[in-house]
Amino acid sequence: MKLVEFHTEADAEVTEAARYYEIRRAGLGLDLLQEVELALDQILTNPEASPQIGRRVRRKPMWRFPYNFIYAVFPD
């Protein structure tokens, strides 16, 4: 079973960013959250597809927003 654990600071950052974008333009915050979900789905589907930046650490850039997911892949 594959698990994703969000660091509490990362979770707060996503929430804050969604609020910021929603203030800038209605619906943009929701777009960010949808892209976050898409990126997480892609990471879960193929965790080794993103470039490796450390021994177990990888970086998944977001397409529309200036954010990256930094994540670690551990053996089951």
Side-chain angles (χ1 to χ4, degrees):
M1 178 179 184
K2 296 180 183 178
L3 295 174
V4 172
E5 290 185 36
F6 237 52
H7 191 281
T8 53
E9 289 179 20
D11 188 41
E13 185 175 346
V14 168
T15 301
E16 182 181 328
R19 287 183 184 138
Y20 169 83
Y21 284 113
E22 195 62 32
I23 289 168
R24 296 290 178 232
R25 190 178 86 214
L28 195 56
L30 181 59
D31 289 351
L32 171 70
L33 296 176
Q34 289 172 339
E35 190 165 337
V36 166
E37 285 186 31
L38 176 63
L40 290 174
D41 286 344
Q42 291 170 343
I43 289 169
L44 282 170
T45 301
N46 194 357
E48 298 188 7
S50 297
Q52 196 168 357
I53 60 171
R55 184 169 179 222
R56 289 187 175 151
V57 179
R58 295 181 179 269
R59 180 179 65 87
K60 168 78 173 146
M62 294 183 69
W63 180 67
R64 279 182 63 194
F65 297 91
Y67 297 97
N68 293 283
F69 282 93
I70 306 297
Y71 65 97
V73 178
F74 294 95
D76 294 323

Coordinates of all heavy atoms in Angstrom, one line a residue:
M1 N 0.8 -1.2 0.0 CA 0.0 0.0 0.0 C 0.9 1.2 0.0 O 1.8 1.4 0.8 CB -0.9 0.0 1.2 CG -1.8 1.2 1.4 SD -2.8 1.0 2.9 CE -3.8 2.4 2.7
K2 N 0.6 2.1 -0.9 CA 1.4 3.4 -1.0 C 0.7 4.5 -0.2 O -0.5 4.6 -0.2 CB 1.5 3.8 -2.5 CG 2.2 2.9 -3.3 CD 2.3 3.3 -4.7 CE 3.0 2.3 -5.6 NZ 3.0 2.7 -7.0
L3 N 1.6 5.2 0.6 CA 1.1 6.2 1.4 C 1.7 7.6 1.1 O 2.9 7.6 0.6 CB 1.4 5.9 2.9 CG 0.8 4.7 3.5 CD1 1.4 4.5 4.9 CD2 -0.7 4.9 3.6
V4 N 1.0 8.6 1.3 CA 1.5 10.0 1.1 C 1.4 10.6 2.5 O 0.3 10.6 3.0 CB 0.8 10.8 0.0 CG1 1.2 12.2 0.1 CG2 1.0 10.2 -1.3
E5 N 2.4 11.1 3.0 CA 2.4 11.9 4.2 C 2.8 13.3 3.9 O 3.9 13.5 3.4 CB 3.3 11.3 5.3 CG 2.8 10.0 5.8 CD 3.7 9.5 7.0 OE1 4.2 10.3 7.8 OE2 3.9 8.3 7.0
F6 N 1.9 14.2 4.2 CA 2.2 15.7 4.0 C 2.8 16.2 5.2 O 2.2 16.1 6.3 CB 0.8 16.4 3.6 CG 0.8 17.1 2.3 CD1 1.1 16.5 1.2 CD2 0.3 18.4 2.3 CE1 1.1 17.1 0.0 CE2 0.3 19.1 1.1 CZ 0.6 18.4 -0.1
H7 N 3.9 16.9 5.1 CA 4.4 17.6 6.2 C 3.4 18.7 6.6 O 2.8 19.3 5.8 CB 5.8 18.2 5.8 CG 6.6 18.7 7.0 ND1 6.3 20.0 7.6 CD2 7.6 18.2 7.6 CE1 7.1 20.1 8.6 NE2 8.0 19.1 8.6
T8 N 3.3 18.9 7.9 CA 2.3 19.9 8.4 C 2.5 21.3 7.8 O 1.6 22.1 7.5 CB 2.2 20.0 9.9 OG1 3.5 20.2 10.5 CG2 1.6 18.7 10.5
E9 N 3.8 21.7 7.7 CA 4.1 23.0 7.1 C 3.8 23.0 5.6 O 3.4 24.1 5.1 CB 5.6 23.3 7.4 CG 5.9 23.6 8.8 CD 7.4 23.9 9.1 OE1 8.1 24.3 8.1 OE2 7.8 23.8 10.2
A10 N 4.0 21.9 4.9 CA 3.6 21.9 3.5 C 2.1 22.0 3.4 O 1.6 22.7 2.5 CB 4.1 20.6 2.9
D11 N 1.4 21.3 4.2 CA -0.1 21.4 4.2 C -0.6 22.9 4.4 O -1.4 23.4 3.7 CB -0.7 20.5 5.2 CG -2.2 20.4 5.1 OD1 -2.7 20.3 4.0 OD2 -2.9 20.4 6.2
A12 N 0.0 23.5 5.4 CA -0.3 24.9 5.7 C 0.1 25.8 4.5 O -0.7 26.8 4.2 CB 0.4 25.4 7.0
E13 N 1.2 25.5 3.9 CA 1.6 26.3 2.7 C 0.6 26.2 1.6 O 0.3 27.2 0.9 CB 3.0 25.9 2.3 CG 3.6 26.8 1.2 CD 5.0 26.5 0.8 OE1 5.7 25.8 1.6 OE2 5.4 27.0 -0.2
V14 N 0.2 25.0 1.3 CA -0.8 24.8 0.2 C -2.1 25.5 0.5 O -2.7 26.2 -0.3 CB -1.1 23.3 0.0 CG1 -2.3 23.1 -0.9 CG2 0.1 22.6 -0.6
T15 N -2.6 25.5 1.8 CA -3.8 26.2 2.2 C -3.7 27.7 2.0 O -4.5 28.3 1.5 CB -4.2 25.8 3.6 OG1 -4.4 24.4 3.7 CG2 -5.4 26.5 4.1
E16 N -2.5 28.2 2.5 CA -2.3 29.6 2.4 C -2.2 30.1 0.9 O -2.7 31.1 0.5 CB -1.0 30.0 3.1 CG -0.6 31.4 3.1 CD 0.7 31.7 3.9 OE1 1.0 31.0 4.8 OE2 1.4 32.7 3.5
A17 N -1.5 29.3 0.1 CA -1.4 29.6 -1.3 C -2.7 29.6 -2.0 O -3.0 30.5 -2.8 CB -0.4 28.6 -2.0
A18 N -3.6 28.6 -1.7 CA -4.9 28.5 -2.3 C -5.7 29.8 -1.9 O -6.4 30.3 -2.8 CB -5.6 27.3 -1.9
R19 N -5.6 30.2 -0.7 CA -6.3 31.4 -0.3 C -5.8 32.6 -1.0 O -6.6 33.5 -1.5 CB -6.2 31.6 1.2 CG -7.0 30.7 2.0 CD -6.9 31.0 3.5 NE -7.6 30.0 4.3 CZ -7.2 29.5 5.4 NH1 -6.0 29.8 5.9 NH2 -7.9 28.6 6.0
Y20 N -4.5 32.7 -1.2 CA -3.9 33.9 -1.9 C -4.3 33.9 -3.3 O -4.8 35.0 -3.8 CB -2.3 33.7 -1.8 CG -1.6 34.6 -2.7 CD1 -1.3 36.0 -2.3 CD2 -1.2 34.2 -4.0 CE1 -0.7 36.8 -3.2 CE2 -0.5 35.1 -4.8 CZ -0.3 36.4 -4.4 OH 0.4 37.3 -5.3
Y21 N -4.3 32.8 -4.0 CA -4.7 32.7 -5.4 C -6.2 33.0 -5.6 O -6.6 33.6 -6.5 CB -4.3 31.4 -6.1 CG -2.8 31.4 -6.4 CD1 -2.0 30.5 -5.7 CD2 -2.3 32.2 -7.3 CE1 -0.7 30.4 -6.0 CE2 -0.9 32.1 -7.6 CZ -0.1 31.2 -7.0 OH 1.2 31.2 -7.3
E22 N -7.0 32.5 -4.6 CA -8.4 32.8 -4.7 C -8.8 34.3 -4.6 O -9.7 34.8 -5.2 CB -9.2 31.9 -3.6 CG -10.6 31.8 -3.8 CD -11.0 31.1 -5.1 OE1 -10.3 30.2 -5.6 OE2 -12.1 31.5 -5.7
I23 N -8.0 35.0 -3.7 CA -8.2 36.4 -3.6 C -7.8 37.1 -4.9 O -8.5 38.1 -5.3 CB -7.4 37.0 -2.4 CG1 -8.0 36.5 -1.1 CG2 -7.3 38.5 -2.5 CD1 -7.1 36.7 0.1
R24 N -6.8 36.6 -5.5 CA -6.3 37.2 -6.8 C -7.3 37.1 -7.9 O -7.6 38.0 -8.7 CB -5.0 36.6 -7.2 CG -3.8 36.9 -6.3 CD -3.5 38.4 -6.3 NE -2.4 38.6 -5.4 CZ -2.4 39.6 -4.5 NH1 -3.5 40.3 -4.3 NH2 -1.4 39.8 -3.7
R25 N -7.9 35.9 -8.0 CA -8.9 35.6 -9.0 C -9.8 34.5 -8.6 O -9.3 33.4 -8.2 CB -8.3 35.3 -10.4 CG -9.3 35.3 -11.5 CD -8.7 35.0 -12.8 NE -8.6 33.5 -13.0 CZ -7.6 32.9 -13.6 NH1 -6.7 33.5 -14.2 NH2 -7.7 31.6 -13.7
A26 N -11.1 34.7 -8.6 CA -12.0 33.6 -8.2 C -11.8 32.4 -9.0 O -11.7 32.4 -10.2 CB -13.5 34.1 -8.4
G27 N -11.7 31.2 -8.3 CA -11.5 30.0 -9.0 C -10.0 29.5 -9.1 O -9.7 28.4 -9.3
L28 N -9.1 30.5 -8.9 CA -7.7 30.2 -9.1 C -7.2 29.3 -7.9 O -6.3 28.5 -8.1 CB -6.9 31.5 -9.3 CG -5.4 31.3 -9.8 CD1 -5.4 30.6 -11.1 CD2 -4.8 32.7 -9.9
G29 N -7.7 29.6 -6.7 CA -7.3 28.8 -5.6 C -7.7 27.3 -5.8 O -7.0 26.4 -5.4
L30 N -8.9 27.1 -6.3 CA -9.4 25.8 -6.6 C -8.5 25.1 -7.7 O -8.2 23.9 -7.6 CB -10.9 25.8 -7.0 CG -11.5 24.5 -7.3 CD1 -11.5 23.6 -6.1 CD2 -12.9 24.7 -7.8
D31 N -8.1 25.9 -8.7 CA -7.2 25.4 -9.7 C -5.9 24.9 -9.1 O -5.4 23.8 -9.4 CB -6.9 26.4 -10.7 CG -8.0 26.8 -11.6 OD1 -9.1 26.1 -11.6 OD2 -7.9 27.8 -12.4
L32 N -5.4 25.6 -8.1 CA -4.2 25.2 -7.4 C -4.4 23.8 -6.7 O -3.6 22.9 -6.8 CB -3.7 26.2 -6.4 CG -2.5 25.8 -5.5 CD1 -1.3 25.6 -6.3 CD2 -2.4 26.7 -4.3
L33 N -5.5 23.8 -6.0 CA -5.8 22.5 -5.2 C -6.0 21.3 -6.2 O -5.5 20.2 -5.9 CB -7.0 22.7 -4.3 CG -6.9 23.7 -3.2 CD1 -8.2 23.9 -2.5 CD2 -5.7 23.4 -2.3
Q34 N -6.6 21.6 -7.3 CA -6.8 20.5 -8.3 C -5.4 20.1 -8.9 O -5.2 18.9 -9.1 CB -7.7 20.9 -9.4 CG -9.1 21.0 -8.9 CD -10.1 21.6 -10.0 OE1 -9.6 22.3 -10.9 NE2 -11.4 21.4 -9.8
E35 N -4.5 21.0 -9.1 CA -3.2 20.6 -9.6 C -2.4 19.9 -8.5 O -1.6 19.0 -8.8 CB -2.4 21.9 -10.1 CG -1.2 21.5 -10.8 CD -0.5 22.5 -11.6 OE1 -1.2 23.5 -12.0 OE2 0.7 22.4 -11.9
V36 N -2.6 20.3 -7.3 CA -1.9 19.5 -6.2 C -2.4 18.1 -6.2 O -1.6 17.2 -6.1 CB -2.2 20.2 -4.8 CG1 -1.9 19.3 -3.7 CG2 -1.5 21.5 -4.7
E37 N -3.7 17.9 -6.3 CA -4.2 16.5 -6.4 C -3.7 15.7 -7.6 O -3.3 14.6 -7.4 CB -5.8 16.5 -6.4 CG -6.4 16.9 -5.1 CD -7.9 16.8 -5.1 OE1 -8.4 15.9 -5.9 OE2 -8.6 17.5 -4.4
L38 N -3.6 16.4 -8.7 CA -3.1 15.7 -9.9 C -1.6 15.3 -9.7 O -1.3 14.2 -10.0 CB -3.2 16.7 -11.1 CG -2.6 16.2 -12.4 CD1 -3.3 14.9 -12.9 CD2 -2.7 17.3 -13.5
A39 N -0.8 16.2 -9.1 CA 0.6 15.9 -8.9 C 0.7 14.8 -7.9 O 1.5 13.9 -8.1 CB 1.3 17.2 -8.4
L40 N -0.1 14.8 -6.9 CA -0.1 13.6 -5.9 C -0.5 12.3 -6.5 O 0.2 11.3 -6.3 CB -0.9 14.0 -4.7 CG -0.4 15.1 -3.8 CD1 -1.5 15.4 -2.7 CD2 0.9 14.7 -3.2
D41 N -1.5 12.4 -7.4 CA -1.9 11.1 -8.1 C -0.8 10.6 -9.0 O -0.5 9.4 -9.1 CB -3.1 11.4 -9.0 CG -4.4 11.5 -8.1 OD1 -4.4 11.1 -7.0 OD2 -5.4 12.0 -8.7
Q42 N -0.1 11.6 -9.7 CA 1.0 11.2 -10.5 C 2.2 10.6 -9.7 O 2.8 9.6 -10.1 CB 1.5 12.4 -11.4 CG 0.5 12.8 -12.4 CD 0.9 14.1 -13.1 OE1 1.7 14.9 -12.6 NE2 0.3 14.4 -14.2
I43 N 2.5 11.2 -8.6 CA 3.5 10.7 -7.7 C 3.2 9.3 -7.2 O 4.0 8.4 -7.2 CB 3.8 11.6 -6.5 CG1 4.4 12.9 -7.0 CG2 4.6 10.9 -5.5 CD1 4.5 14.0 -6.0
L44 N 1.9 9.1 -6.8 CA 1.5 7.7 -6.3 C 1.5 6.7 -7.4 O 1.9 5.6 -7.2 CB 0.1 7.8 -5.7 CG 0.0 8.4 -4.3 CD1 -1.4 8.6 -3.9 CD2 0.7 7.5 -3.3
T45 N 1.1 7.1 -8.6 CA 1.1 6.2 -9.8 C 2.5 5.8 -10.2 O 2.7 4.6 -10.5 CB 0.3 6.8 -10.9 OG1 -1.0 7.1 -10.5 CG2 0.3 5.9 -12.1
N46 N 3.4 6.7 -10.2 CA 4.8 6.4 -10.7 C 5.8 7.3 -9.9 O 6.3 8.3 -10.4 CB 4.9 6.7 -12.2 CG 6.1 6.1 -12.8 OD1 6.9 5.5 -12.1 ND2 6.3 6.3 -14.1
P47 N 6.1 6.9 -8.7 CA 6.9 7.7 -7.8 C 8.3 7.9 -8.3 O 8.9 8.9 -7.9 CB 6.9 6.9 -6.5 CG 6.4 5.6 -6.8 CD 5.6 5.6 -8.0
E48 N 8.8 7.1 -9.2 CA 10.2 7.2 -9.6 C 10.3 8.0 -10.9 O 11.4 8.1 -11.5 CB 10.8 5.9 -9.7 CG 10.9 5.3 -8.3 CD 11.7 4.0 -8.2 OE1 12.3 3.6 -9.2 OE2 11.7 3.4 -7.1
A49 N 9.2 8.6 -11.4 CA 9.2 9.3 -12.7 C 9.9 10.7 -12.6 O 10.4 11.2 -13.5 CB 7.8 9.4 -13.2
S50 N 9.8 11.3 -11.4 CA 10.3 12.6 -11.2 C 11.8 12.6 -11.0 O 12.4 11.6 -10.5 CB 9.7 13.3 -10.0 OG 8.3 13.5 -10.3
P51 N 12.6 13.6 -11.4 CA 14.0 13.6 -11.2 C 14.5 13.4 -9.8 O 13.9 14.0 -8.9 CB 14.4 15.0 -11.7 CG 13.3 15.5 -12.5 CD 12.1 14.9 -12.0
Q52 N 15.5 12.7 -9.6 CA 16.1 12.4 -8.3 C 17.0 13.6 -8.0 O 17.8 14.0 -8.8 CB 16.8 11.1 -8.4 CG 17.2 10.5 -7.0 CD 17.7 9.1 -7.1 OE1 17.7 8.5 -8.2 NE2 18.0 8.5 -6.0
I53 N 16.9 14.1 -6.8 CA 17.8 15.2 -6.3 C 18.6 14.8 -5.1 O 19.3 15.6 -4.5 CB 17.0 16.5 -6.1 CG1 15.9 16.3 -5.0 CG2 16.4 17.0 -7.4 CD1 15.2 17.6 -4.6
G54 N 18.4 13.6 -4.6 CA 19.1 13.1 -3.5 C 19.0 11.5 -3.5 O 18.4 11.0 -4.4
R55 N 19.5 10.9 -2.5 CA 19.5 9.4 -2.5 C 18.1 8.9 -2.7 O 17.9 8.0 -3.5 CB 20.1 8.9 -1.2 CG 20.3 7.5 -1.1 CD 21.1 7.0 0.0 NE 21.2 5.6 0.0 CZ 21.1 4.8 1.1 NH1 20.9 5.4 2.3 NH2 21.1 3.5 1.0
R56 N 17.2 9.3 -1.9 CA 15.8 8.9 -2.0 C 14.8 10.0 -2.3 O 13.6 9.8 -2.5 CB 15.3 8.3 -0.6 CG 15.9 7.0 -0.3 CD 15.3 6.4 1.0 NE 15.8 5.1 1.2 CZ 15.9 4.6 2.4 NH1 15.5 5.3 3.5 NH2 16.4 3.4 2.6
V57 N 15.3 11.2 -2.5 CA 14.5 12.4 -2.6 C 14.3 12.7 -4.1 O 15.3 12.7 -4.9 CB 15.1 13.6 -1.9 CG1 14.3 14.8 -2.0 CG2 15.3 13.2 -0.4
R58 N 13.1 13.1 -4.4 CA 12.8 13.5 -5.8 C 12.0 14.8 -5.8 O 11.5 15.2 -4.8 CB 11.9 12.4 -6.5 CG 12.7 11.1 -6.6 CD 11.9 10.1 -7.3 NE 12.7 8.9 -7.5 CZ 13.4 8.6 -8.5 NH1 13.5 9.4 -9.6 NH2 14.2 7.5 -8.6
R59 N 12.0 15.5 -7.0 CA 11.3 16.8 -7.1 C 10.3 16.7 -8.2 O 10.6 16.3 -9.4 CB 12.3 17.9 -7.4 CG 11.7 19.2 -7.5 CD 12.7 20.3 -7.8 NE 13.4 20.1 -9.1 CZ 12.9 20.6 -10.3 NH1 11.8 21.3 -10.3 NH2 13.6 20.4 -11.4
K60 N 9.1 17.0 -7.9 CA 8.0 17.0 -8.9 C 7.5 18.5 -9.1 O 6.8 19.0 -8.2 CB 6.8 16.1 -8.5 CG 5.5 16.3 -9.2 CD 5.6 15.5 -10.5 CE 4.2 15.5 -11.2 NZ 4.3 15.6 -12.6
P61 N 7.8 19.1 -10.2 CA 7.3 20.5 -10.3 C 5.9 20.5 -10.7 O 5.4 19.6 -11.3 CB 8.2 21.1 -11.5 CG 8.7 19.9 -12.2 CD 8.7 18.7 -11.2
M62 N 5.2 21.6 -10.3 CA 3.8 21.8 -10.7 C 3.8 22.5 -12.0 O 4.7 23.2 -12.4 CB 3.0 22.6 -9.6 CG 2.9 21.8 -8.4 SD 1.9 22.6 -7.1 CE 0.3 22.6 -7.8
W63 N 2.8 22.3 -12.8 CA 2.7 22.8 -14.2 C 2.4 24.3 -14.2 O 3.1 25.1 -14.8 CB 1.7 22.0 -15.0 CG 1.6 22.4 -16.4 CD1 2.5 22.3 -17.4 CD2 0.4 23.0 -17.0 NE1 2.1 22.8 -18.5 CE2 0.8 23.3 -18.3 CE3 -0.8 23.4 -16.5 CZ2 -0.1 23.8 -19.2 CZ3 -1.7 23.9 -17.4 CH2 -1.3 24.2 -18.7
R64 N 1.3 24.7 -13.6 CA 0.8 26.1 -13.7 C 1.3 27.0 -12.6 O 1.2 28.2 -12.7 CB -0.7 26.1 -13.7 CG -1.3 25.8 -15.0 CD -2.8 25.9 -14.9 NE -3.3 27.3 -14.5 CZ -4.5 27.5 -14.2 NH1 -5.4 26.6 -14.0 NH2 -4.9 28.8 -13.9
F65 N 1.8 26.5 -11.5 CA 2.1 27.3 -10.3 C 3.5 27.1 -9.9 O 4.1 26.0 -10.2 CB 1.2 26.9 -9.1 CG -0.3 27.1 -9.4 CD1 -1.1 26.2 -10.0 CD2 -0.9 28.4 -9.1 CE1 -2.5 26.4 -10.3 CE2 -2.2 28.6 -9.4 CZ -3.0 27.7 -10.0
P66 N 4.1 28.1 -9.3 CA 5.6 28.1 -9.0 C 5.9 27.3 -7.7 O 6.5 27.8 -6.8 CB 5.9 29.5 -8.8 CG 4.7 30.1 -8.2 CD 3.5 29.4 -8.9
Y67 N 5.5 26.0 -7.7 CA 5.7 25.1 -6.6 C 6.3 23.8 -7.0 O 6.0 23.4 -8.2 CB 4.4 24.9 -5.8 CG 3.9 26.2 -5.2 CD1 2.8 26.8 -5.8 CD2 4.4 26.7 -4.0 CE1 2.3 28.0 -5.3 CE2 3.9 27.8 -3.4 CZ 2.9 28.5 -4.1 OH 2.4 29.7 -3.5
N68 N 7.0 23.2 -6.2 CA 7.5 21.8 -6.4 C 7.2 20.9 -5.2 O 7.1 21.4 -4.1 CB 9.1 21.8 -6.5 CG 9.5 22.6 -7.7 OD1 9.5 22.1 -8.8 ND2 10.0 23.8 -7.5
F69 N 6.9 19.7 -5.5 CA 6.8 18.7 -4.5 C 8.2 18.1 -4.3 O 8.8 17.6 -5.2 CB 5.8 17.6 -4.8 CG 4.4 18.0 -4.7 CD1 3.7 18.5 -5.7 CD2 3.7 17.9 -3.5 CE1 2.4 18.9 -5.6 CE2 2.4 18.3 -3.3 CZ 1.7 18.8 -4.4
I70 N 8.7 18.1 -3.1 CA 9.9 17.4 -2.7 C 9.5 16.2 -1.9 O 8.8 16.4 -0.9 CB 10.8 18.3 -1.9 CG1 11.1 19.6 -2.6 CG2 12.1 17.6 -1.6 CD1 11.8 19.5 -4.0
Y71 N 9.8 15.0 -2.4 CA 9.3 13.8 -1.7 C 10.4 12.7 -1.7 O 11.3 12.8 -2.5 CB 8.0 13.3 -2.3 CG 8.1 12.8 -3.7 CD1 8.3 11.5 -4.0 CD2 8.1 13.7 -4.8 CE1 8.4 11.0 -5.3 CE2 8.2 13.3 -6.1 CZ 8.4 11.9 -6.4 OH 8.5 11.5 -7.7
A72 N 10.2 11.8 -0.7 CA 11.1 10.7 -0.6 C 10.3 9.4 -0.9 O 9.2 9.3 -0.6 CB 11.7 10.6 0.8
V73 N 11.1 8.5 -1.6 CA 10.5 7.2 -1.9 C 11.2 6.2 -1.0 O 12.4 6.1 -1.0 CB 10.7 6.9 -3.4 CG1 10.2 5.5 -3.7 CG2 10.1 7.9 -4.3
F74 N 10.4 5.4 -0.2 CA 11.0 4.4 0.6 C 10.4 3.0 0.2 O 9.3 2.9 -0.3 CB 10.5 4.6 2.1 CG 11.1 5.9 2.7 CD1 10.4 7.1 2.7 CD2 12.4 5.9 3.2 CE1 10.9 8.2 3.2 CE2 12.9 7.0 3.8 CZ 12.2 8.2 3.8
P75 N 11.2 2.0 0.3 CA 10.8 0.7 -0.1 C 9.6 0.2 0.8 O 9.5 0.6 1.9 CB 12.0 -0.2 0.1 CG 13.0 0.6 0.8 CD 12.6 2.0 0.8
D76 N 8.7 -0.5 0.2 CA 7.6 -1.0 1.0 C 8.1 -1.9 2.1 O 7.7 -1.9 3.2 CB 6.6 -1.9 0.1 CG 6.0 -1.0 -1.0 OD1 5.6 0.1 -0.7 OD2 5.8 -1.6 -2.1

